[in-house]
Amino acid sequence: MAEEPAPESGSGSGSFSSAVNGGKSIEECQDMIRRSLRTPMVKFLREHLEKAGCVVGENFIKAVHCDKQISGGYVRGEGIVVCSNHMSIQDEVNQVVIHELIHAYDDCRAANLDWANCAHHACSEIRAGHLSGDCHYKRELLRGFTKIRGHEQDCVQRRVMKSVIANPYCSEAAAKDAMEAVWDVCYNDTQPFDRAP
Ligand SMILES: [Zn+2]
């Protein structure tokens, strides 16, 4: 199981944080998920999941209310959830859906992926963070992180750590060691893309 930390407000004013404006209802979020299914990135990932033998049907991705401070997650055999109460704009929903589809793709293509293994989990988070565009500089600016040089890898590392530490099998030290051990291989593994989009 892979869970994503809730949208960050960073060091900025925090006015962008969805906690401030209360998020969306489950129905609104479900509509936003439907809209995300029409974006080229989501279509591309669903096609490749299907090619790898894993069909992602309409109800694979569900809007739910989350009590935890997470934006969404992927659970093997259950699918993807998007936390409606932590979403405020379409772009956030698209990002969660894309990020979780990369986890679903990793789970599909590797028969022996073990989410309890910190290195396996870290690898999928590195790929999902890098390939989803979670760390595009425009999104980082909205979070209040304004350092541009080297921002992309810093941002991916920060988000990988948050997700892997939330794994009950991974301490902070184990998460850091795992991330460093697999970084180069997993950051450069851009499947199913030819290169990072
Ligand atoms: Zn993730």
Side-chain angles (χ1 to χ4, degrees), residues 2-5 72-73 99-100 103 115 121 124-125 128-129 134 159 163:
E3 292 179 342
E4 312 320 317
H99 181 114
E100 302 307 334
H103 287 319
W115 292 105
H121 185 187
S124 190
E125 293 297 349
D134 281 343
R159 296 169 70 87
S163 291

Side-chain angles (χ1 to χ4, degrees), residues 67-137:
D67 293 323
K68 284 198 247 178
Q69 277 302 307
I70 57 172
S71 57
Y74 164 75
V75 182
R76 178 181 289 161
E78 290 183 28
I80 290 168
V81 295
V82 179
C83 299
S84 57
N85 50 316
H86 296 145
M87 294 295 113
S88 53
I89 56 171
Q90 183 67 43
D91 184 59
E92 285 177 328
V93 175
N94 296 350
Q95 284 309 115
V96 175
V97 170
I98 290 164
H99 181 114
E100 302 307 334
L101 282 172
I102 293 168
H103 287 319
Y105 178 81
D106 286 356
D107 211 14
C108 180
R109 70 171 183 170
N112 59 353
L113 199 156
D114 176 6
W115 292 105
N117 179 313
C118 308
H120 289 196
H121 185 187
C123 186
S124 190
E125 293 297 349
I126 292 165
R127 283 172 33 75
H130 180 210
L131 301 174
S132 66
D134 281 343
C135 290
H136 190 277
Y137 73 94

Side-chain angles (χ1 to χ4, degrees), residues 25-95:
S25 70
I26 287 176
E27 294 72 30
E28 287 170 324
C29 186
Q30 205 66 59
D31 280 343
M32 292 164 96
I33 292 169
R34 266 191 286 276
R35 244 169 272 144
S36 81
L37 297 178
R38 298 198 287 267
T39 64
M41 248 316 238
V42 172
K43 281 186 183 168
F44 178 89
L45 285 167
R46 285 179 75 194
E47 276 168 29
H48 281 269
L49 270 152
E50 200 163 331
K51 276 187 194 163
C54 303
V55 176
V56 172
E58 289 277 323
N59 51 13
F60 187 80
I61 310 173
K62 292 178 209 75
V64 298
H65 180 97
C66 299
D67 293 323
K68 284 198 247 178
Q69 277 302 307
I70 57 172
S71 57
Y74 164 75
V75 182
R76 178 181 289 161
E78 290 183 28
I80 290 168
V81 295
V82 179
C83 299
S84 57
N85 50 316
H86 296 145
M87 294 295 113
S88 53
I89 56 171
Q90 183 67 43
D91 184 59
E92 285 177 328
V93 175
N94 296 350
Q95 284 309 115

